[in-house]
Amino acid sequence: MTEPTKRSIDDAMELSRPAKITIRQWWLASVRAHDKAALANGVPLYLTLPGQHGLDIKLLIDEGVIRTTEAGPIVAADASRIVAIESNMMACGLLRKKIPGLSVRQENISGMLSWNFPDVFPDSKNKKQFRAAVVNLDFNQSLKMHPDGTIPVLNAIDKIARIHEGDINRPPIDWTLCLTLNADLICTPQQRGEQAAFIADQVFDCPDLMLWVETHLRDQLDELEQKPEVLDSWDKAIVQRLLMVLVPLRIIQLACARGWRVNCQYVAGYGEHPQETPMVTFVINFEWNDTGRVTPAQTSKTCREQLPAAMCRVLGDGSVEHLPASGTLW
């Protein structure tokens, strides 16, 4: 998780940040879409990293998705539908005061998921928590790769997807991932080149996606593969576009191999003002796929072909601008 002081500053900024208000509306729509199914499946509706203000949870309350009593606290039955995880003790205390009735787990999500260790899974209690219909990983950190090539954030997503697969006693359930990251890629020079090569390999059989990459990244991928150090001099807008392609392609790869069909609903960059940190954000729907009828390779291609329609940026006033596969660059 983040340093407490930085998280506090970021949360305060978000109180009046139109772009983030728009993104929270996307989260709200996802929660609404899963509301009835979550009840029917007996799983939590929403897992979130709310920060000290809990603005996303407050929105669910304001919109009537989560009910409160006349006295103010969340209705007990609805409190169990929210899984709120916050590592900072002071932020946990503030959350409990601002949203009475909210149960907040004071833990670090990276530790709960053991995301530095791909083969280590949460215990049965934590598995139940992560089997939420909407999982919102609103991070304030960069995409980081370990020297061995593993990516902790993707390890976490892979584990959450496997938890949603269920087991012999629990069937798979469809779910939505909301993911937000700093627009930055931290890895070795060799890994930078490997990511560029990976993108090129993944787009070659999807003409619309290839056109999008050619339009919005042009020669950057070739440059990155040949001269990895060039990433350090790139404008953040270019890094945003790189991650807008790389992250969903990686998620599609791991999810389809597990038996999921992935629909990227929103793939967006935001944070255009100098005082804001450039970010990337994703809303990705996971639907269980009958791999007996459709192979993972076929599913992956279908999912990749849908990516260009999801590409957009959220402007400083909160409006959304689609990024077509041709036309004016950012």
Side-chain angles (χ1 to χ4, degrees):
M1 295 286 287
T2 58
E3 293 294 328
T5 53
K6 182 170 176 52
R7 185 75 185 206
S8 175
I9 292 170
D10 288 345
D11 283 346
M13 286 180 63
E14 286 183 6
L15 290 170
S16 59
R17 185 183 295 177
K20 200 58 181 280
I21 291 171
T22 294
I23 292 165
R24 281 196 289 271
Q25 288 294 326
W26 295 349
W27 300 343
L28 170 64
S30 293
V31 172
R32 286 191 186 279
H34 284 281
D35 194 358
K36 292 181 180 179
L39 279 173
N41 290 322
V43 298
L45 173 60
Y46 185 56
L47 182 148
T48 180
L49 315 179
Q52 67 175 358
H53 295 297
L55 301 178
D56 54 341
I57 300 174
K58 287 182 178 180
L59 180 62
L60 297 182
I61 293 171
D62 292 343
E63 294 294 326
V65 178
I66 298 300
R67 300 166 297 172
T68 58
T69 67
E70 290 185 3
I74 295 175
V75 171
D78 284 4
S80 64
R81 306 190 74 196
I82 303 293
V83 179
I85 301 170
E86 173 55 54
S87 64
N88 180 258
M89 181 177 65
M90 291 185 64
C92 287
L94 287 170
L95 267 173
R96 294 186 182 106
K97 288 181 180 179
K98 292 178 178 180
I99 309 178
L102 177 67
S103 177
V104 185
R105 295 191 60 167
Q106 186 187 334
E107 295 191 59
N108 192 311
I109 193 170
S110 63
M112 293 174 70
L113 283 167
S114 299
W115 70 7
N116 288 323
F117 306 96
D119 298 322
V120 180
F121 274 77
D123 58 27
S124 57
K125 178 182 177 181
N126 284 333
K127 277 186 177 180
K128 292 179 181 179
Q129 302 286 289
F130 283 104
R131 195 170 152 89
V134 177
V135 176
N136 187 358
L137 304 181
D138 184 17
F139 291 128
N140 189 4
Q141 58 184 256
S142 306
L143 186 69
K144 182 177 181 180
M145 300 186 68
H146 284 172
D148 64 1
T150 59
I151 304 175
V153 169
L154 294 187
N155 288 344
I157 294 169
D158 184 43
K159 290 179 184 182
I160 294 169
R162 292 170 72 177
I163 289 169
H164 282 81
E165 291 173 24
D167 51 38
I168 192 170
N169 297 313
R170 297 175 300 176
I173 59 169
D174 296 346
W175 62 291
T176 294
L177 169 69
C178 303
L179 173 66
T180 303
L181 296 165
N182 288 359
D184 197 13
L185 176 61
I186 300 176
C187 59
T188 66
Q190 179 179 342
Q191 289 170 336
R192 293 177 179 184
E194 290 170 351
Q195 300 319 298
F198 170 78
I199 292 173
D201 179 67
Q202 292 290 302
V203 306
F204 85 97
D205 61 344
C206 300
D208 288 346
L209 181 56
M210 181 180 289
L211 180 59
W212 193 95
V213 170
E214 290 177 350
T215 301
H216 294 282
L217 287 171
R218 289 196 174 178
D219 299 325
Q220 278 92 355
L221 285 184
D222 289 339
E223 188 179 31
L224 184 61
E225 191 170 4
Q226 296 168 12
K227 299 179 181 179
E229 66 277 6
V230 74
L231 180 67
D232 298 324
S233 63
W234 278 1
D235 184 273
K236 283 296 183 181
I238 300 176
V239 182
Q240 273 184 324
R241 297 198 294 274
L242 177 71
L243 293 181
M244 286 169 62
V245 177
L246 176 62
V247 172
L249 284 178
R250 285 291 183 188
I251 291 174
I252 288 170
Q253 181 188 53
L254 69 86
C256 291
R258 297 284 183 200
W260 294 99
R261 181 171 59 250
V262 176
N263 172 32
C264 294
Q265 190 172 359
Y266 294 104
V267 175
Y270 72 99
E272 63 178 21
H273 295 307
Q275 67 270 27
E276 294 180 324
T277 302
M279 309 289 288
V280 288
T281 193
F282 311 88
V283 177
I284 303 177
N285 300 316
F286 289 67
E287 298 176 356
W288 188 246
N289 189 34
D290 182 356
T291 55
R293 290 183 294 142
V294 183
T295 67
Q298 291 171 315
T299 304
S300 173
K301 186 175 186 297
T302 299
C303 297
R304 285 181 280 123
E305 287 174 337
Q306 296 172 348
L307 260 179
M311 300 290 196
C312 61
R313 61 173 175 167
V314 186
L315 304 180
D317 62 1
S319 62
V320 179
E321 178 181 271
H322 177 62
L323 295 176
S326 62
T328 305
L329 296 179
W330 294 20

